[in-house]
Amino acid sequence: MKYTFLIEKDVESGKYVGTIPYIKGAHTCADSLDELKANIKEVLELCLKEIPKEEIQQFPIFEGISQVEIAS
């Protein structure tokens, strides 16, 4: 199963922050995107061990993820 996570770049530290918003405690940070992906996978595996299968089956499925830009 694939899980969608959000990536943000912290302006102050320059680190990337990854979060899976629908899983409590599923967040991490890293200096590179490759490191972030490895870290979030490790965090996800740990979190999934503690979540009942019935709850996992109710996780949202995201398809066609895209971004929009608004001029400020």
Side-chain angles (χ1 to χ4, degrees):
M1 186 168 187
K2 292 184 179 183
Y3 296 88
T4 301
F5 67 100
L6 302 174
I7 300 172
E8 298 177 68
K9 186 161 187 180
D10 183 69
V11 178
E12 292 180 19
S13 68
K15 291 187 179 280
Y16 293 97
V17 179
T19 307
I20 304 175
Y22 50 92
I23 300 178
K24 185 177 180 180
H27 59 277
T28 189
C29 65
D31 292 321
S32 71
L33 290 173
D34 288 337
E35 183 183 0
L36 181 67
K37 188 174 180 180
N39 289 355
I40 200 76
K41 185 176 180 181
E42 182 178 340
V43 167
L44 176 60
E45 288 170 348
L46 292 170
C47 288
L48 291 177
K49 289 180 181 180
E50 302 298 320
I51 301 172
K53 287 191 177 210
E54 299 79 29
E55 188 175 329
I56 293 172
Q57 293 172 344
Q58 299 301 315
F59 287 166
I61 298 172
F62 298 96
E63 295 182 18
I65 304 298
S66 61
Q67 297 177 326
V68 290
E69 184 175 340
I70 307 284
S72 53

